[in-house]
């Protein structure tokens, strides 16, 4: 029989329970790590560039993308196409322009080592087709730049409303769009039924939100205010890890216009299990009036009489309307004006009082006694001269 190996005696503190306790002790000794520090990206950190050493054998198969462009972009693309080929040539991607079909095609080559280069080339030709200038579109070939093409044509039903909201996104002389570009660090191009944005991922997310809210009848100024507050809060290192809800404004939608009540209100009738009475037919009406039993000649005569009676009423009404022009209007009754009384009653007592008052006042006229003395003096002078 095979010898059974004897179990070695376990040393004190070497069991599984003791090991767990030892681990827990080590954990307690380790300094606690803040989770917020692990989630945040350190300032100035950049992902290393993708080089040929990362993929020395290149790609296995050829990939290609094509996109159509409108007729009005033909002249510009023809002019800047050598620059496009040169920029893509640095990443070993071929580019072809077909003016007959109106399309642009990008394809990988045997020298292409970056598998994501063809995706960037596809985005480049898409941006060029959406009226983005080459100077801005070529930035998509950089690692830290992305693009987003937002379709806004199908978000609003009425064409007039869509044009107004699109103009609201631009703002007076493009001021709203410029403010949005400065806050998000993105280049934004509004063209036709699409909005093309080019910049960092965080900025593109904000641009998409603002554009969609504008099409939903939320003014972009509200989102711009929120972005400005967020920009200031991000500068404070203490507030970076905290919730910003208490600082951000909360805008409530107010429907100022009241719903217009319809002129004809449909009132629901009371439910009855019995069906409505069947309407009378023409034959039933004729039977009730006794017209059904008349002969053809009598029926025609009756119809003619009714027609003539209607015509006579119409002629009478028309004649009355014509005669209205000849009826003179009612004249207003003549009101006789009362002649103003020429004889005025003279109040003698009042005149006497006025004279007395005038004598009392010294307004250049001499009193009675002085006048008499003067008169006497004048008479004496006249006598002496004689």
């Amino acid at each position: 029989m095979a010898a059974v190996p004897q179990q070695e005696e376990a040393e004190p503190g070497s069991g599984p329970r003791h090991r767990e306790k030892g681990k827990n002790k080590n954990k307690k000794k380790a300094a606690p790590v803040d989770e917020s520090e692990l989630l945040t990206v350190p300032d100035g950190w950049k992902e290393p560039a993708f080089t040929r050493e990362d993929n020395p054998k290149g790609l296995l198969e050829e990939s290609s993308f094509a996109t159509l462009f409108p007729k009005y972009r033909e002249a510009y693309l023809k002019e800047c196409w050598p620059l496009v080929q040169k920029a893509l040539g640095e990443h070993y991607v071929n580019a072809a322009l077909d003016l007959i079909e109106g399309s642009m095609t990008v394809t990988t080559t045997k020298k292409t080592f970056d598998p994501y280069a063809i995706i960037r080339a596809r985005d480049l030709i898409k941006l060029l087709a959406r009226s983005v200038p080459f100077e801005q579109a070529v930035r998509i070939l950089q690692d830290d730049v992305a693009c987003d093409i937002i379709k806004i044509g199908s978000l609003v039903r009425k064409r007039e409303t869509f044009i107004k909201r699109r103009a609201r996104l631009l703002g007076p002389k493009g001021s709203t769009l410029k403010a949005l570009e400065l806050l998000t660090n993105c280049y934004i191009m509004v063209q036709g039924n699409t909005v093309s944005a080019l910049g960092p991922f965080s900025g593109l997310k904000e641009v998409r939100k603002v554009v969609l809210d504008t099409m939903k009848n939320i003014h972009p100024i509200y989102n711009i205010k929120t972005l400005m507050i967020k920009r200031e809060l991000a500068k404070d290192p203490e507030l970076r890890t905290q919730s910003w809800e208490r600082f951000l404004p909360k805008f409530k939608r107010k429907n100022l216009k009241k719903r217009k009540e319809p002129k004809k209100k449909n009132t629901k009738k009371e439910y009855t299990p019995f069906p409505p009475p069947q309407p009378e037919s023409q034959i039933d009406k004729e039977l009730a009036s006794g017209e059904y039993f008349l002969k053809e000649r009598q029926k025609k005569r009756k119809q003619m009489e009714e027609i003539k009676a209607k015509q006579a009423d119409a002629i009478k009404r028309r004649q009355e309307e014509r005669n209205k022009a000849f009826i003179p209007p009612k004249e207003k009754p003549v009101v006789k004006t009362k002649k103003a009384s020429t004889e005025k009653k003279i109040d003698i007592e009042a005149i006497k009082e006025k004279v007395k008052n005038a004598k009392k006042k010294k307004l250049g006229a001499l009193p009675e006694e002085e006048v008499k003395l003067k008169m006497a003096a004048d008479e004496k002078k006249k006598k002496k001269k004689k």
Side-chain angles (χ1 to χ4, degrees), residues 167-199:
R168 192 183 293 169
L169 182 65
L170 292 165
K173 296 180 181 178
S175 58
T176 308
L177 198 68
K178 189 69 181 173
L180 199 61
E181 284 180 348
L182 291 168
L183 289 166
T184 56
N185 296 323
C186 293
Y187 173 80
I188 306 164
M189 182 73 188
V190 181
Q191 177 69 22
N193 294 332
T194 57
V195 177
S196 306
L198 189 78

mmCIF file of all heavy atoms in Angstrom, residues 167-199:
data_model
loop_
_atom_site.group_PDB
_atom_site.id
_atom_site.type_symbol
_atom_site.label_atom_id
_atom_site.label_comp_id
_atom_site.label_asym_id
_atom_site.label_seq_id
_atom_site.Cartn_x
_atom_site.Cartn_y
_atom_site.Cartn_z
ATOM 1 N N ALA A 167 -31.534 81.417 -37.861
ATOM 2 C CA ALA A 167 -31.003 82.787 -37.756
ATOM 3 C C ALA A 167 -30.754 83.164 -36.292
ATOM 4 O O ALA A 167 -29.818 83.902 -35.985
ATOM 5 C CB ALA A 167 -31.983 83.768 -38.389
ATOM 6 N N ARG A 168 -31.583 82.650 -35.380
ATOM 7 C CA ARG A 168 -31.401 82.892 -33.948
ATOM 8 C C ARG A 168 -30.091 82.274 -33.455
ATOM 9 O O ARG A 168 -29.427 82.813 -32.578
ATOM 10 C CB ARG A 168 -32.579 82.280 -33.193
ATOM 11 C CG ARG A 168 -32.670 82.705 -31.730
ATOM 12 C CD ARG A 168 -33.812 82.011 -31.051
ATOM 13 N NE ARG A 168 -35.097 82.436 -31.563
ATOM 14 C CZ ARG A 168 -36.241 81.825 -31.277
ATOM 15 N NH1 ARG A 168 -36.261 80.753 -30.512
ATOM 16 N NH2 ARG A 168 -37.391 82.274 -31.779
ATOM 17 N N LEU A 169 -29.732 81.123 -34.016
ATOM 18 C CA LEU A 169 -28.474 80.464 -33.660
ATOM 19 C C LEU A 169 -27.274 81.310 -34.100
ATOM 20 O O LEU A 169 -26.263 81.376 -33.396
ATOM 21 C CB LEU A 169 -28.423 79.073 -34.300
ATOM 22 C CG LEU A 169 -27.198 78.204 -34.007
ATOM 23 C CD1 LEU A 169 -27.152 77.836 -32.528
ATOM 24 C CD2 LEU A 169 -27.230 76.944 -34.854
ATOM 25 N N LEU A 170 -27.398 81.965 -35.252
ATOM 26 C CA LEU A 170 -26.316 82.830 -35.751
ATOM 27 C C LEU A 170 -26.223 84.113 -34.942
ATOM 28 O O LEU A 170 -25.139 84.577 -34.624
ATOM 29 C CB LEU A 170 -26.551 83.161 -37.226
ATOM 30 C CG LEU A 170 -26.416 82.000 -38.215
ATOM 31 C CD1 LEU A 170 -27.018 82.374 -39.545
ATOM 32 C CD2 LEU A 170 -24.970 81.598 -38.384
ATOM 33 N N GLY A 171 -27.399 84.709 -34.621
ATOM 34 C CA GLY A 171 -27.432 85.964 -33.871
ATOM 35 C C GLY A 171 -27.213 87.160 -34.785
ATOM 36 O O GLY A 171 -26.884 87.016 -35.967
ATOM 37 N N PRO A 172 -27.389 88.386 -34.251
ATOM 38 C CA PRO A 172 -27.169 89.591 -35.063
ATOM 39 C C PRO A 172 -25.703 89.729 -35.459
ATOM 40 O O PRO A 172 -24.825 89.784 -34.592
ATOM 41 C CB PRO A 172 -27.624 90.744 -34.148
ATOM 42 C CG PRO A 172 -27.619 90.176 -32.781
ATOM 43 C CD PRO A 172 -27.818 88.710 -32.889
ATOM 44 N N LYS A 173 -25.449 89.713 -36.753
ATOM 45 C CA LYS A 173 -24.090 89.803 -37.328
ATOM 46 C C LYS A 173 -23.186 88.665 -36.824
ATOM 47 O O LYS A 173 -21.977 88.842 -36.644
ATOM 48 C CB LYS A 173 -23.460 91.158 -37.016
ATOM 49 C CG LYS A 173 -24.193 92.326 -37.655
ATOM 50 C CD LYS A 173 -23.553 93.643 -37.321
ATOM 51 C CE LYS A 173 -24.308 94.810 -37.938
ATOM 52 N NZ LYS A 173 -23.705 96.102 -37.571
ATOM 53 N N GLY A 174 -23.780 87.506 -36.554
ATOM 54 C CA GLY A 174 -23.018 86.324 -36.133
ATOM 55 C C GLY A 174 -22.454 86.395 -34.729
ATOM 56 O O GLY A 174 -21.528 85.653 -34.393
ATOM 57 N N SER A 175 -23.011 87.276 -33.868
ATOM 58 C CA SER A 175 -22.458 87.475 -32.510
ATOM 59 C C SER A 175 -22.708 86.267 -31.611
ATOM 60 O O SER A 175 -21.831 85.887 -30.822
ATOM 61 C CB SER A 175 -23.072 88.724 -31.880
ATOM 62 O OG SER A 175 -24.483 88.610 -31.837
ATOM 63 N N THR A 176 -23.896 85.646 -31.704
ATOM 64 C CA THR A 176 -24.220 84.480 -30.863
ATOM 65 C C THR A 176 -23.315 83.308 -31.206
ATOM 66 O O THR A 176 -22.810 82.607 -30.314
ATOM 67 C CB THR A 176 -25.700 84.088 -31.057
ATOM 68 O OG1 THR A 176 -26.518 85.234 -30.866
ATOM 69 C CG2 THR A 176 -26.124 83.005 -30.090
ATOM 70 N N LEU A 177 -23.089 83.088 -32.496
ATOM 71 C CA LEU A 177 -22.234 81.987 -32.944
ATOM 72 C C LEU A 177 -20.780 82.220 -32.516
ATOM 73 O O LEU A 177 -20.088 81.271 -32.120
ATOM 74 C CB LEU A 177 -22.322 81.855 -34.470
ATOM 75 C CG LEU A 177 -21.858 80.533 -35.074
ATOM 76 C CD1 LEU A 177 -22.798 79.412 -34.683
ATOM 77 C CD2 LEU A 177 -21.781 80.626 -36.574
ATOM 78 N N LYS A 178 -20.347 83.478 -32.564
ATOM 79 C CA LYS A 178 -18.978 83.815 -32.157
ATOM 80 C C LYS A 178 -18.775 83.557 -30.661
ATOM 81 O O LYS A 178 -17.733 83.026 -30.245
ATOM 82 C CB LYS A 178 -18.693 85.297 -32.486
ATOM 83 C CG LYS A 178 -17.236 85.708 -32.320
ATOM 84 C CD LYS A 178 -16.350 85.072 -33.356
ATOM 85 C CE LYS A 178 -14.898 85.469 -33.183
ATOM 86 N NZ LYS A 178 -14.009 84.721 -34.084
ATOM 87 N N ALA A 179 -19.774 83.928 -29.852
ATOM 88 C CA ALA A 179 -19.705 83.697 -28.401
ATOM 89 C C ALA A 179 -19.645 82.204 -28.096
ATOM 90 O O ALA A 179 -18.891 81.772 -27.216
ATOM 91 C CB ALA A 179 -20.920 84.322 -27.717
ATOM 92 N N LEU A 180 -20.414 81.423 -28.837
ATOM 93 C CA LEU A 180 -20.431 79.965 -28.659
ATOM 94 C C LEU A 180 -19.084 79.354 -29.041
ATOM 95 O O LEU A 180 -18.601 78.425 -28.384
ATOM 96 C CB LEU A 180 -21.553 79.372 -29.512
ATOM 97 C CG LEU A 180 -22.052 77.976 -29.155
ATOM 98 C CD1 LEU A 180 -22.620 77.953 -27.750
ATOM 99 C CD2 LEU A 180 -23.122 77.536 -30.140
ATOM 100 N N GLU A 181 -18.472 79.881 -30.086
ATOM 101 C CA GLU A 181 -17.156 79.396 -30.522
ATOM 102 C C GLU A 181 -16.086 79.670 -29.458
ATOM 103 O O GLU A 181 -15.225 78.828 -29.189
ATOM 104 C CB GLU A 181 -16.757 80.058 -31.842
ATOM 105 C CG GLU A 181 -17.480 79.490 -33.051
ATOM 106 C CD GLU A 181 -17.066 80.159 -34.353
ATOM 107 O OE1 GLU A 181 -16.396 81.209 -34.285
ATOM 108 O OE2 GLU A 181 -17.414 79.648 -35.424
ATOM 109 N N LEU A 182 -16.147 80.855 -28.835
ATOM 110 C CA LEU A 182 -15.153 81.228 -27.820
ATOM 111 C C LEU A 182 -15.303 80.379 -26.550
ATOM 112 O O LEU A 182 -14.315 80.022 -25.917
ATOM 113 C CB LEU A 182 -15.287 82.711 -27.470
ATOM 114 C CG LEU A 182 -14.880 83.709 -28.571
ATOM 115 C CD1 LEU A 182 -15.330 85.101 -28.221
ATOM 116 C CD2 LEU A 182 -13.372 83.686 -28.792
ATOM 117 N N LEU A 183 -16.552 80.057 -26.186
ATOM 118 C CA LEU A 183 -16.798 79.299 -24.958
ATOM 119 C C LEU A 183 -16.486 77.812 -25.107
ATOM 120 O O LEU A 183 -16.099 77.161 -24.136
ATOM 121 C CB LEU A 183 -18.253 79.478 -24.515
ATOM 122 C CG LEU A 183 -18.623 80.861 -23.962
ATOM 123 C CD1 LEU A 183 -20.117 81.021 -23.893
ATOM 124 C CD2 LEU A 183 -18.014 81.072 -22.591
ATOM 125 N N THR A 184 -16.685 77.270 -26.321
ATOM 126 C CA THR A 184 -16.491 75.826 -26.538
ATOM 127 C C THR A 184 -15.160 75.492 -27.213
ATOM 128 O O THR A 184 -14.835 74.304 -27.337
ATOM 129 C CB THR A 184 -17.637 75.269 -27.395
ATOM 130 O OG1 THR A 184 -17.712 76.002 -28.633
ATOM 131 C CG2 THR A 184 -18.968 75.355 -26.669
ATOM 132 N N ASN A 185 -14.425 76.512 -27.674
ATOM 133 C CA ASN A 185 -13.151 76.312 -28.413
ATOM 134 C C ASN A 185 -13.364 75.469 -29.678
ATOM 135 O O ASN A 185 -12.519 74.647 -30.036
ATOM 136 C CB ASN A 185 -12.089 75.665 -27.518
ATOM 137 C CG ASN A 185 -11.706 76.557 -26.361
ATOM 138 O OD1 ASN A 185 -11.630 77.771 -26.517
ATOM 139 N ND2 ASN A 185 -11.496 75.965 -25.199
ATOM 140 N N CYS A 186 -14.499 75.656 -30.312
ATOM 141 C CA CYS A 186 -14.841 74.909 -31.531
ATOM 142 C C CYS A 186 -15.097 75.884 -32.677
ATOM 143 O O CYS A 186 -15.537 77.010 -32.455
ATOM 144 C CB CYS A 186 -16.095 74.066 -31.322
ATOM 145 S SG CYS A 186 -15.879 72.738 -30.145
ATOM 146 N N TYR A 187 -14.841 75.393 -33.894
ATOM 147 C CA TYR A 187 -15.217 76.143 -35.098
ATOM 148 C C TYR A 187 -16.594 75.623 -35.526
ATOM 149 O O TYR A 187 -16.788 74.411 -35.665
ATOM 150 C CB TYR A 187 -14.201 75.940 -36.213
ATOM 151 C CG TYR A 187 -14.623 76.562 -37.532
ATOM 152 C CD1 TYR A 187 -14.467 77.921 -37.762
ATOM 153 C CD2 TYR A 187 -15.200 75.783 -38.542
ATOM 154 C CE1 TYR A 187 -14.859 78.497 -38.962
ATOM 155 C CE2 TYR A 187 -15.598 76.350 -39.732
ATOM 156 C CZ TYR A 187 -15.426 77.708 -39.938
ATOM 157 O OH TYR A 187 -15.828 78.273 -41.123
ATOM 158 N N ILE A 188 -17.562 76.538 -35.727
ATOM 159 C CA ILE A 188 -18.944 76.154 -36.066
ATOM 160 C C ILE A 188 -19.312 76.780 -37.395
ATOM 161 O O ILE A 188 -19.106 77.983 -37.607
ATOM 162 C CB ILE A 188 -19.939 76.583 -34.971
ATOM 163 C CG1 ILE A 188 -19.492 76.038 -33.601
ATOM 164 C CG2 ILE A 188 -21.342 76.086 -35.287
ATOM 165 C CD1 ILE A 188 -20.153 76.697 -32.421
ATOM 166 N N MET A 189 -19.881 75.951 -38.281
ATOM 167 C CA MET A 189 -20.311 76.409 -39.608
ATOM 168 C C MET A 189 -21.761 75.997 -39.823
ATOM 169 O O MET A 189 -22.079 74.808 -39.832
ATOM 170 C CB MET A 189 -19.426 75.774 -40.684
ATOM 171 C CG MET A 189 -19.762 76.222 -42.091
ATOM 172 S SD MET A 189 -19.228 77.914 -42.377
ATOM 173 C CE MET A 189 -19.958 78.243 -43.960
ATOM 174 N N VAL A 190 -22.653 76.998 -39.958
ATOM 175 C CA VAL A 190 -24.079 76.734 -40.217
ATOM 176 C C VAL A 190 -24.305 76.872 -41.716
ATOM 177 O O VAL A 190 -24.116 77.953 -42.277
ATOM 178 C CB VAL A 190 -24.971 77.714 -39.430
ATOM 179 C CG1 VAL A 190 -26.440 77.412 -39.677
ATOM 180 C CG2 VAL A 190 -24.664 77.663 -37.947
ATOM 181 N N GLN A 191 -24.689 75.773 -42.355
ATOM 182 C CA GLN A 191 -24.865 75.774 -43.807
ATOM 183 C C GLN A 191 -26.047 74.876 -44.170
ATOM 184 O O GLN A 191 -26.019 73.681 -43.899
ATOM 185 C CB GLN A 191 -23.587 75.269 -44.504
ATOM 186 C CG GLN A 191 -23.660 75.163 -46.011
ATOM 187 C CD GLN A 191 -23.726 76.516 -46.695
ATOM 188 O OE1 GLN A 191 -23.322 77.513 -46.120
ATOM 189 N NE2 GLN A 191 -24.222 76.552 -47.908
ATOM 190 N N GLY A 192 -27.089 75.485 -44.762
ATOM 191 C CA GLY A 192 -28.242 74.698 -45.225
ATOM 192 C C GLY A 192 -28.952 74.006 -44.077
ATOM 193 O O GLY A 192 -29.358 74.637 -43.097
ATOM 194 N N ASN A 193 -29.081 72.688 -44.178
ATOM 195 C CA ASN A 193 -29.805 71.896 -43.180
ATOM 196 C C ASN A 193 -28.881 71.228 -42.165
ATOM 197 O O ASN A 193 -29.319 70.323 -41.441
ATOM 198 C CB ASN A 193 -30.652 70.811 -43.873
ATOM 199 C CG ASN A 193 -31.758 71.428 -44.705
ATOM 200 O OD1 ASN A 193 -32.235 72.516 -44.409
ATOM 201 N ND2 ASN A 193 -32.171 70.740 -45.737
ATOM 202 N N THR A 194 -27.598 71.628 -42.140
ATOM 203 C CA THR A 194 -26.648 71.020 -41.200
ATOM 204 C C THR A 194 -25.820 72.077 -40.491
ATOM 205 O O THR A 194 -25.642 73.189 -40.994
ATOM 206 C CB THR A 194 -25.683 70.050 -41.928
ATOM 207 O OG1 THR A 194 -25.007 70.774 -42.965
ATOM 208 C CG2 THR A 194 -26.392 68.848 -42.482
ATOM 209 N N VAL A 195 -25.295 71.681 -39.312
ATOM 210 C CA VAL A 195 -24.352 72.513 -38.557
ATOM 211 C C VAL A 195 -23.083 71.682 -38.366
ATOM 212 O O VAL A 195 -23.130 70.616 -37.748
ATOM 213 C CB VAL A 195 -24.920 72.940 -37.196
ATOM 214 C CG1 VAL A 195 -23.901 73.740 -36.401
ATOM 215 C CG2 VAL A 195 -26.191 73.750 -37.369
ATOM 216 N N SER A 196 -21.973 72.153 -38.905
ATOM 217 C CA SER A 196 -20.692 71.438 -38.795
ATOM 218 C C SER A 196 -19.869 72.075 -37.689
ATOM 219 O O SER A 196 -19.678 73.294 -37.672
ATOM 220 C CB SER A 196 -19.921 71.510 -40.116
ATOM 221 O OG SER A 196 -20.731 71.049 -41.177
ATOM 222 N N ALA A 197 -19.394 71.234 -36.759
ATOM 223 C CA ALA A 197 -18.569 71.708 -35.632
ATOM 224 C C ALA A 197 -17.247 70.960 -35.627
ATOM 225 O O ALA A 197 -17.195 69.764 -35.930
ATOM 226 C CB ALA A 197 -19.302 71.492 -34.317
ATOM 227 N N LEU A 198 -16.181 71.672 -35.255
ATOM 228 C CA LEU A 198 -14.820 71.121 -35.293
ATOM 229 C C LEU A 198 -14.070 71.601 -34.057
ATOM 230 O O LEU A 198 -13.963 72.809 -33.842
ATOM 231 C CB LEU A 198 -14.120 71.605 -36.567
ATOM 232 C CG LEU A 198 -12.774 70.999 -36.914
ATOM 233 C CD1 LEU A 198 -12.949 69.624 -37.516
ATOM 234 C CD2 LEU A 198 -12.053 71.895 -37.902
ATOM 235 N N GLY A 199 -13.611 70.652 -33.209
ATOM 236 C CA GLY A 199 -12.900 71.049 -32.001
ATOM 237 C C GLY A 199 -12.741 69.887 -31.037
ATOM 238 O O GLY A 199 -12.874 68.728 -31.425
#
